[in-house]
Amino acid sequence: LAKTTQPISMDSYEGQEVNITCSHNNIATNDYITWYQQFPSQGPRFIIQGYKTKVTNEVASLFIPADRKSSTLSLPRVSLSDTAVYYCLGEGYNNNDMRFGAGTRLTVKP
Amino acid sequence: EAQVTQNPRYLITVTGKKLTVTCSQNMNHEYMSWYRQDPGLGLRQIYYSMNVEVTDKGDVPEGYKVSRKEKRNFPLILESPSPNQTSLYFCASSLGPGQGYNEQFFGPGTRLTVL
């Protein structure tokens, strides 16, 4: 099981690019890295998932270096509506459970 | 529409009165799980199920029971609720770990207050 570590909080301003890094030093060979977004009183919502190198979708990019001991979620040009808690999660091939950490609370200011 | 539903959405009860929170998914997912969320503690997994009749404990299973008699349903049972179980509960489903691309779908949450 990949135990993950993220910053507790981050602040940004509208229009800026935000990068949130997650450490997962003991990630297993078959673990995927997944990021979720959660707004207050709502369930988490899937953002992006990757195994290595770079993955991009319409919402974000995910960078995973060759050693896979960390990953970085990149949100281009954030807006006020991106204020939320972001979780990284290691999901493994042989893991029978998937655990969330405390997440990173991103606050986007005008 | 692909979704996970939970009922009730809000519940206020008293200590010791048994309750069940239902969870249902329409995506034919094998994996289902229950989480509780408390301020400052993020999401903590209570129980999960890899398939019908297969359940296992998560991080905080004490005081909870689950069952998985059908693939689509995964009820959470509190036999004797206590005030420390006051929390926001989420049910989730997915194809399951080891499936390659894997996205957990979450329900809307159940806010439980135990007096």
Side-chain angles (χ1 to χ4, degrees):
Chain A
L1 178 67
K3 177 177 164 58
T4 59
T5 305
Q6 306 173 233
I8 294 174
S9 64
M10 294 180 68
D11 290 342
S12 182
Y13 291 91
E14 282 190 292
Q16 289 187 333
E17 178 184 74
V18 171
N19 296 309
I20 306 174
T21 297
C22 177
S23 296
H24 27 81
N25 291 319
N26 63 337
I27 190 168
T29 302
N30 293 319
D31 282 2
Y32 282 75
I33 298 300
T34 312
W35 285 80
Y36 290 83
Q37 175 192 56
Q38 186 182 26
F39 298 111
S41 298
Q42 295 184 24
R45 184 180 70 172
F46 175 92
I47 300 176
I48 197 167
Q49 183 180 75
Y51 184 75
K52 60 181 177 181
T53 63
K54 178 182 175 181
V55 179
T56 298
N57 61 22
E58 65 278 5
V59 176
S61 294
L62 177 60
F63 301 91
I64 303 173
D67 67 7
R68 303 201 330 116
K69 292 186 183 301
S70 67
S71 60
T72 299
L73 175 73
S74 181
L75 304 172
R77 296 203 306 277
V78 294
S79 64
L80 296 177
S81 63
D82 292 316
T83 293
V85 178
Y86 293 82
Y87 296 93
C88 74
L89 183 66
E91 301 187 26
Y93 199 91
N94 293 316
N95 296 337
N96 288 331
D97 56 350
M98 292 179 273
R99 292 190 172 102
F100 286 78
T104 298
R105 182 175 299 278
L106 172 66
T107 302
V108 180
K109 303 175 182 178
Chain B
E1 179 190 356
Q3 61 182 351
V4 177
T5 57
Q6 296 178 225
N7 282 292
R9 293 289 312 281
Y10 302 91
L11 179 61
I12 300 174
T13 188
V14 296
T15 299
K17 186 176 181 181
K18 181 180 178 180
L19 67 92
T20 299
V21 184
T22 64
C23 173
S24 183
Q25 50 94 5
N26 62 359
M27 295 166 279
N28 201 35
H29 284 162
E30 292 186 349
Y31 183 94
M32 297 185 74
S33 65
W34 275 102
Y35 297 89
R36 62 176 289 174
Q37 186 167 39
D38 304 289
L41 296 178
L43 286 151
R44 294 182 293 169
Q45 192 175 55
I46 303 170
Y47 268 94
Y48 62 92
S49 170
M50 295 293 286
N51 212 326
V52 175
E53 301 294 0
V54 180
T55 64
D56 211 341
K57 296 177 181 179
D59 290 325
V60 289
E62 293 77 22
Y64 304 95
K65 286 175 57 177
V66 292
S67 69
R68 188 89 182 274
K69 292 182 168 52
E70 307 164 280
K71 200 171 189 178
R72 64 181 293 126
N73 296 323
F74 190 46
L76 179 70
I77 304 158
L78 284 73
E79 294 271 4
S80 182
S82 63
N84 64 13
Q85 293 179 297
T86 292
S87 187
L88 180 58
Y89 292 86
F90 290 102
C91 179
S93 75
S94 72
L95 292 172
Q99 302 288 338
Y101 179 84
N102 185 40
E103 172 184 351
Q104 288 194 69
F105 292 81
F106 284 80
T110 295
R111 188 168 294 280
L112 171 66
T113 301
V114 183
L115 301 175

